[in-house]
Amino acid sequence: MATKARVMYDFAAEPGNNELTVNEGEIITITNPDVGGGWLEGRNIKGERGLVPTDYVEILPNDGKDRFSCGNSVADQAFLDSLSASTAQASSSAASNNHQVGSGNDPWSAWSASKSGNWESSEGWGAQPEGAGAQRNTNTPNNWDTAFGHPQAYQGPATGDDDDWDEDWDGPKSSSYFKDSESADAGGAQRGNSRASSSSMKIPLNKFPGFAKPGTEQYLLAKQLAKPKEKIPIIVGDYGPMWVYPTSTFDCVVADPRKGSKMYGLKSYIEYQLTPTNTNRSVNHRYKHFDWLYERLLVKFGSAIPIPSLPDKQVTGRFEEEFIKMRMERLQAWMTRMCRHPVISESEVFQQFLNFRDEKEWKTGKRKAERDELAGVMIFSTMEPEAPDLDLVEIEQKCEAVGKFTKAMDDGVKELLTVGQEHWKRCTGPLPKEYQKIGKALQSLATVFSSSGYQGETDLNDAITEAGKTYEEIASLVAEQPKKDLHFLMECNHEYKGFLGCFPDIIGTHKGAIEKVKESDKLVATSKITLQDKQNMVKRVSIMSYALQAEMNHFHSNRIYDYNSVIRLYLEQQVQFYETIAEKLRQALSRFPVM
């Protein structure tokens, strides 16, 4: 029986590339699933055949039903198949080490399933359960939305140039590099990014160790928490709980993109040179390596720390110079954010990514990171607040305050992104044209005046002509200005949109834990848990609250610095822009004779 697939996103074929145009919701027949390079061959109901991006479709089983309720692409299903064995082993080991409550003796299983009003089953901001799949947003107003994925949902293995990891090791090589140039025009969306990255195609977080149900119970009811060698301390500073910052900070320079190939040139990729400023020793990474790091950070820290997603994957146009520059700029911004975070930057997996010395060391560290059981909610077991336990009322108030602020800021950031995109389009479209029209009209008027033959108006005609040329120059200035100021404001807002998009899952995890503590009295009364169990739960939820407050203090300090810097830059550039225009107009005015 022929394999069928449902098209997840619209895809327009490029002429001459043997591609097939498909539309969302269309059912196609897979004629060759192994074309390679992130493509498969399919046939539509009209009998037309061609190539379609692998992760634009989901395979339908022979019975016509979806294999996963969230929907998964071909790449996602292959990834799940390869992941299932290691996930099961890690989950089993975590259950053994932490005395995790199984489904058979889950103290909540008898009655919580039908309980209404549970935080973990409610909808809306800050009330999503752990691992909840993000719903697809088809109303992306600008290419900042389409160029990045949903910040708290792993996108599955990369496509196109992102084939098997261990078989294509690329050691450090000399890199030819592009000359520095201005950033890619934010108004031009890249082809292939038309799919909404926050779709249900993402692999649910409960596919990973630490995110599997019973969720927060794994941490709250563990009889004895693991004692990791490296604890994450939380101290109380002038503004409340905070992470402990390292004595010295560092950044990581992402540069020197170069194109490489393998399989006798059949597969190509771009790799970037990464140079940490604290070691000045470079390593080379491809986009898929960044994608692996993102996944590991998300799995390990995603319950406590917002991990915004990388720039989105690209099926076509991956080797165009403007796209490479834009991706490198955004990878640089992502790495800088990670280097700034006192917990992420000091984590073993992040340090391994930047400081491996050879293939053997890399693979050893990679496998160790993938076997890490202190992930998901269990990350809280590594945290030690140097402060007294909080009561449940204060914990709930802190959680509500974070949810309220992040939701409000998310709305404000999205509004500014929408307005900024509209202004960008106006500055690069109709507004320069209006200035050009004024300029041409003035020059036409000067030409008409010159035809009169009257000798006394030469100076006036020359002045009008120059005024017209000035307006044409202003048109060019207007069109170029967004790249000098609005671009940076929009990029900053997009980064924060990514951070803020992580908080619903984080808040949902905390509210779920609070709800479990509220339910614990009934469990104690029915002897399903002991009073000591309840006391442990309160203490552990208190730790979670301290972690949330520490993260918000880090978030706020960065927010204040970033928005002060980027808005100052925007206003300074705007002042310079209008001063330049004013000076050109003064020069044009000075040419007119005084009557």
Side-chain angles (χ1 to χ4, degrees):
M1 185 174 182
T3 303
K4 302 287 186 179
R6 176 183 292 110
V7 177
M8 302 285 286
Y9 317 101
D10 293 342
F11 174 74
E14 288 185 344
N17 283 352
N18 196 31
E19 297 171 358
L20 177 66
T21 296
V22 291
N23 298 313
E24 180 183 350
E26 182 179 352
I27 304 298
I28 64 173
T29 300
I30 305 300
T31 55
N32 184 356
D34 301 317
V35 175
W39 299 85
L40 56 79
E41 184 183 58
R43 182 179 66 247
N44 61 19
I45 58 174
K46 298 178 182 178
E48 299 168 334
R49 297 177 63 163
L51 301 178
V52 178
T54 302
D55 65 350
Y56 276 43
V57 303
E58 60 173 345
I59 298 296
L60 298 178
N62 292 337
D63 58 7
K65 297 180 180 179
D66 292 352
R67 291 179 60 187
F68 301 101
S69 59
C70 66
N72 290 277
S73 68
V74 175
D76 290 339
Q77 292 178 25
F79 178 72
L80 286 173
D81 290 340
S82 65
L83 182 70
S84 59
S86 59
T87 301
Q89 180 181 1
S91 298
S92 174
S93 177
S96 174
N97 291 341
N98 299 310
H99 302 275
Q100 179 177 332
V101 179
S103 58
N105 59 354
D106 183 352
W108 281 277
S109 61
W111 57 277
S112 64
S114 60
K115 179 178 174 61
S116 62
N118 191 314
W119 283 113
E120 290 192 341
S121 62
S122 58
E123 298 178 356
W125 182 274
Q128 298 177 5
E130 290 180 78
Q135 294 301 312
R136 183 179 183 197
N137 176 12
T138 57
N139 298 317
T140 52
N142 52 56
N143 85 306
W144 280 273
D145 287 337
T146 57
F148 286 78
H150 186 275
Q152 199 74 344
Y154 174 51
Q155 301 177 23
T159 59
D161 61 330
D162 299 330
D163 46 294
D164 184 73
W165 181 290
D166 290 330
E167 294 180 0
D168 62 358
W169 169 261
D170 301 303
K173 302 171 185 175
S174 60
S175 300
S176 59
Y177 51 94
F178 293 92
K179 294 181 180 179
D180 292 337
S181 62
E182 58 195 3
S183 305
D185 189 330
Q190 294 293 324
R191 184 178 181 274
N193 280 345
S194 58
R195 59 190 172 100
S197 299
S198 58
S199 74
S200 58
M201 183 184 69
K202 308 300 182 283
I203 297 177
L205 296 183
N206 60 17
K207 296 295 180 184
F208 298 106
F211 285 89
K213 292 301 181 183
T216 53
E217 298 96 303
Q218 181 184 5
Y219 167 64
L220 295 178
L221 286 177
K223 295 298 182 183
Q224 182 177 358
L225 295 177
K227 295 181 179 180
K229 296 179 181 179
E230 296 182 7
K231 288 285 189 177
I232 301 175
I234 300 173
I235 61 175
V236 178
D238 294 339
Y239 299 98
M242 58 182 291
W243 304 118
V244 176
Y245 287 78
T247 54
S248 61
T249 59
F250 69 95
D251 198 356
C252 177
V253 178
V254 182
D256 296 351
R258 65 181 299 274
K259 186 176 181 180
S261 62
K262 51 179 289 187
M263 296 177 62
Y264 303 100
L266 293 176
K267 291 191 177 181
S268 300
Y269 56 85
I270 299 294
E271 69 176 7
Y272 303 87
Q273 184 183 79
L274 278 66
T275 309
T277 56
N278 59 341
T279 65
N280 287 322
R281 191 179 68 83
S282 299
V283 295
N284 284 29
H285 279 301
R286 294 164 55 183
Y287 176 86
K288 70 176 206 175
H289 302 171
F290 285 94
D291 198 41
W292 176 87
L293 175 64
Y294 162 68
E295 178 235 323
R296 295 323 312 167
L297 294 177
L298 177 60
V299 169
K300 184 169 181 65
F301 297 108
S303 289
I305 297 170
I307 310 293
S309 69
L310 295 167
D312 198 15
K313 301 176 181 65
Q314 184 94 344
V315 176
T316 58
R318 290 181 291 115
F319 303 119
E320 295 174 2
E321 185 173 345
E322 285 303 307
F323 171 75
I324 292 170
K325 286 189 229 175
M326 181 184 73
R327 171 175 275 186
M328 184 173 69
E329 178 185 356
R330 289 174 171 174
L331 287 174
Q332 175 68 76
W334 190 86
M335 286 299 297
T336 295
R337 293 289 177 185
M338 297 301 102
C339 290
R340 272 195 202 180
H341 199 285
V343 176
I344 299 296
S345 63
E346 296 294 301
S347 66
E348 187 174 2
V349 63
F350 192 73
Q351 289 291 325
Q352 153 78 10
F353 186 77
L354 294 178
N355 296 313
F356 68 92
R357 295 187 176 275
D358 52 39
E359 179 180 358
K360 180 179 179 181
E361 184 177 332
W362 168 254
K363 289 185 177 180
T364 300
K366 176 179 177 289
R367 285 170 173 78
K368 181 180 179 181
E370 290 167 350
R371 292 194 298 267
D372 189 356
E373 294 172 359
L374 293 174
V377 291
M378 296 309 296
I379 191 63
F380 295 109
S381 68
T382 69
M383 297 177 181
E384 288 188 339
E386 298 178 6
D389 295 343
L390 302 172
D391 61 53
L392 196 60
V393 173
E394 187 175 1
I395 292 171
E396 195 165 12
Q397 289 174 345
K398 297 291 185 183
C399 188
E400 290 289 346
V402 171
K404 183 177 180 180
F405 175 81
T406 51
K407 175 62 172 70
M409 184 176 172
D410 186 63
D411 292 339
V413 164
K414 288 177 179 176
E415 180 182 5
L416 186 52
L417 282 170
T418 300
V419 171
Q421 179 67 2
E422 292 172 352
H423 183 62
W424 186 294
K425 290 179 179 178
R426 178 167 172 75
C427 287
T428 56
L431 194 55
K433 292 179 181 178
E434 292 298 323
Y435 281 106
Q436 289 173 350
K437 288 179 181 177
I438 294 173
K440 291 184 182 301
L442 287 172
Q443 292 177 76
S444 295
L445 182 64
T447 300
V448 172
F449 283 180
S450 299
S451 66
S452 69
Y454 186 71
Q455 298 297 318
E457 62 177 344
T458 302
D459 290 344
L460 173 62
N461 294 343
D462 290 344
I464 294 175
T465 299
E466 290 303 315
K469 293 179 179 178
T470 297
Y471 272 89
E472 289 185 328
E473 292 175 6
I474 291 174
S476 298
L477 291 174
V478 170
E480 291 297 317
Q481 187 61 27
K483 297 178 182 179
K484 300 177 181 179
D485 49 32
L486 184 58
H487 168 77
F488 301 103
L489 180 60
M490 295 292 278
E491 286 292 302
C492 180
N493 268 273
H494 182 77
E495 284 188 72
Y496 273 89
K497 178 175 174 286
F499 278 113
L500 293 162
C502 301
F503 277 99
D505 280 342
I506 292 175
I507 298 299
T509 298
H510 285 258
K511 288 185 174 181
I514 293 169
E515 190 68 20
K516 297 303 182 186
V517 173
K518 289 181 177 180
E519 296 167 359
S520 63
D521 285 333
K522 295 181 180 179
L523 299 176
V524 171
T526 55
S527 300
K528 292 189 174 182
I529 64 172
T530 66
L531 185 59
Q532 183 61 48
D533 289 334
K534 178 190 173 180
Q535 292 172 349
N536 288 341
M537 291 172 66
V538 175
K539 180 178 181 63
R540 290 170 187 177
V541 171
S542 177
I543 292 173
M544 294 176 67
S545 180
Y546 276 118
L548 181 61
Q549 293 175 65
E551 183 54 37
M552 286 308 296
N553 273 329
H554 176 75
F555 179 86
H556 287 314
S557 64
N558 277 272
R559 173 180 59 83
I560 292 169
Y561 174 84
D562 291 334
Y563 276 92
N564 180 66
S565 300
V566 76
I567 294 177
R568 280 183 60 90
L569 173 64
Y570 179 77
L571 294 177
E572 288 168 356
Q573 290 294 320
Q574 284 281 291
V575 168
Q576 183 176 338
F577 168 63
Y578 284 109
E579 286 179 344
T580 300
I581 291 177
E583 180 58 30
K584 287 186 174 295
L585 291 174
R586 288 192 192 96
Q587 291 177 4
L589 177 61
S590 66
R591 290 178 171 272
F592 282 80
V594 179
M595 305 299 290

